[in-house]
């Protein structure tokens, strides 16, 4: 295995499948026998809620979430929950809203560098995992900045829509600032790739935007793997019973997991060839 990969799943645009990608990509990598830690860094805690924690884990998560680390500098190890073999989670809690407000408005009250809190907290656990995936909130605030400062890679999910591509541009700008700013906040951050999600091949506009995105590959890689919109399974007559809940189905029969297994293999190949997407950023 190559050295540890800490990957932020980020895009300031909401609804582009960041959380879904974090959960399923993590599950897919764990199916490939990689040790994976998921970090829920969004105050909405969608990742935490979408993974089915048992009652004991829910209770534990209330006092041992990522917010605890930011607020009192506790040990990240105390927050880690085992979701299944090789798939662990640092949960979020709604308290993270206040954490972000505190970090954004009065970072000077914190000792040290406020953008490095997560990076420092990860140090003792990094060696235990092959992959650490960080689910970022839909903003460019301090929680996202902490995630990007702790990561060596970023995966940017985007939908093939004009408005989502605007979010992509902003994300590229933020990464550029972090890497090349004076001073650089994280010289190691590289774009692994842009991931097209919720893709509907029956929509001409989406097909055209996908093609347009691929012409920009001089600047950043676009994963070959495209995540189809779930409605596509329906079109193929393959839809499994859809509960309508925002829960991720990590079983091997899950149609949602399948494209992420392909993505996980593509991602591992990219990393092993050390051919990151980034060129112009
Ligand atoms: N491939 C997909 N097909 C259809 N709906 C999807 C797909 N991926 C995610 N979604 C849905 O889109 C919404 C936003 O996804 P989410 O992962 O929460 O995005 P984000 O974290 O970027 O806000 C959720 O309701 C989720 O269930
Ligand atoms: Mg989310």
């Amino acid at each position: 295995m190559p050295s540890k990969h800490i990957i932020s799943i980020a895009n300031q645009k909401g609804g582009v499948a960041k959380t879904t990608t974090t959960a399923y990509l993590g599950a897919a990598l764990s199916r490939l026998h990689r040790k994976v830690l998921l970090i829920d860094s969004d105050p909405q805690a969608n990742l935490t809620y979408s993974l089915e924690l048992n009652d004991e884990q829910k209770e534990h998560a209330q006092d041992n979430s990522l917010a605890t680390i930011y607020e009192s500098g506790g040990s990240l190890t105390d927050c880690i929950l085992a979701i299944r073999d090789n798939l662990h989670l640092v949960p979020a809690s709604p308290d993270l809203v206040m954490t972000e407000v505190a970090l954004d408005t009065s970072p000077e009250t914190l000792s040290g560098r406020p953008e490095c809190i997560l990076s420092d907290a990860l140090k003792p656990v990094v060696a235990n995992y092959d992959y650490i995936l960080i689910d970022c909130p839909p903003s460019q605030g301090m929680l996202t900045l902490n995630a990007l400062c702790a990561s060596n890679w970023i995966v940017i999910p985007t939908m093939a829509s004009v408005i989502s591509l605007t979010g992509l541009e902003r994300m590229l700008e933020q990464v550029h600032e972090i890497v090349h700013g004076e001073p650089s906040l994280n010289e190691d951050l590289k774009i692994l790739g842009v991931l097209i999600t919720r893709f509907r091949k029956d929509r001409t506009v989406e097909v055209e935007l996908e093609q347009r995105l691929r012409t920009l590959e001089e600047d950043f890689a676009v994963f070959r793997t495209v995540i189809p919109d779930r409605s596509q399974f329906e079109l193929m007559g393959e839809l499994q019973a859809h509960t309508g809940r925002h829960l991720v189905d990590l079983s091997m029969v899950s149609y949602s997991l399948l494209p992420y297994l392909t993505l996980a293999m593509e991602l591992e190949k990219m990393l092993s060839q050390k051919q990151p997407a980034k060129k112009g950023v």
Side-chain angles (χ1 to χ4, degrees):
M1 256 315 281
S3 58
K4 314 299 169 190
H5 301 299
I6 307 178
I7 306 175
S8 277
I9 315 292
N11 187 337
Q12 58 146 34
K13 176 93 182 65
V16 295
K18 290 182 290 295
T19 301
T20 308
T21 296
T22 308
Y24 281 116
L25 177 60
L29 287 165
S30 75
R31 292 282 183 188
L32 300 177
H33 307 291
R34 307 303 182 210
K35 288 185 191 154
V36 181
L37 175 65
L38 308 179
I39 299 187
D40 189 350
S41 182
D42 184 347
Q44 291 180 51
N46 285 339
L47 178 65
T48 303
Y49 297 137
S50 65
L51 297 165
E52 283 180 283
L53 306 186
N54 61 38
D55 289 345
E56 198 183 321
Q57 288 176 322
K58 280 184 197 154
E59 198 173 318
H60 185 84
Q62 281 175 1
D63 299 323
N64 299 277
S65 76
L66 190 61
T68 334
I69 303 301
Y70 281 105
E71 280 159 22
S72 50
S75 159
L76 201 67
T77 317
D78 294 340
C79 302
I80 294 175
L81 301 171
I83 303 299
R84 36 183 314 145
D85 284 352
N86 290 341
L87 187 63
H88 292 177
L89 169 74
V90 173
S93 66
D95 297 346
L96 214 45
V97 178
M98 295 317 294
T99 307
E100 178 144 55
V101 172
L103 284 170
D104 279 334
T105 53
S106 49
E108 69 285 353
T109 59
L110 297 153
S111 58
R113 293 171 62 194
E115 72 278 7
C116 296
I117 297 171
L118 182 59
S119 160
D120 290 344
L122 278 177
K123 279 178 191 150
V125 302
V126 161
N128 302 338
Y129 297 97
D130 299 312
Y131 289 93
I132 297 178
L133 306 183
I134 310 174
D135 183 24
C136 292
S139 69
Q140 291 186 312
M142 284 299 278
L143 290 173
T144 298
L145 188 60
N146 262 272
L148 295 178
C149 288
S151 300
N152 39 18
W153 299 104
I154 172 170
V155 167
I156 310 176
T158 185
M159 288 170 69
S161 72
V162 174
I163 190 159
S164 294
L165 295 188
T166 314
L168 172 62
E169 272 171 37
R170 297 238 179 89
M171 202 63 246
L172 295 173
E173 281 164 20
Q174 190 182 20
V175 173
H176 188 275
E177 253 168 57
I178 289 171
V179 178
H180 299 292
E182 290 283 340
S184 168
L185 294 179
N186 182 4
E187 284 174 351
D188 297 332
L189 182 65
K190 295 171 287 298
I191 295 174
L192 186 57
V194 168
L195 174 69
I196 299 171
T197 58
R198 302 180 63 179
F199 185 66
R200 290 191 55 163
K201 61 175 190 282
D202 56 328
R203 289 201 175 143
T204 316
V205 61
E206 295 203 19
V207 174
E208 283 172 3
L209 278 170
E210 185 212 356
Q211 284 163 359
R212 212 171 89 199
L213 255 182
R214 293 197 187 281
T215 63
L216 302 174
E217 282 194 278
E218 276 297 297
D219 299 324
F220 48 80
V222 179
F223 288 103
R224 294 283 122 206
T225 311
V226 168
I227 308 299
D229 192 89
R230 278 196 283 272
S231 60
Q232 301 293 288
F233 308 141
E234 212 166 348
L235 292 176
M236 294 179 326
E238 289 183 348
L239 187 71
Q240 58 178 163
H242 182 49
T243 59
R245 292 182 302 161
H246 186 77
L247 287 178
V248 295
D249 177 0
L250 301 182
S251 65
M252 277 310 267
V253 294
S254 158
Y255 280 110
S256 295
L257 181 62
L258 287 178
Y260 284 103
L261 281 167
T262 314
L263 177 69
M265 287 187 269
E266 182 182 0
L267 180 143
E268 289 229 297
K269 197 168 166 205
M270 276 168 106
L271 287 169
S272 69
Q273 293 172 340
K274 294 199 197 312
Q275 282 183 345
K278 189 208 92 162
K279 282 186 201 135
V281 180

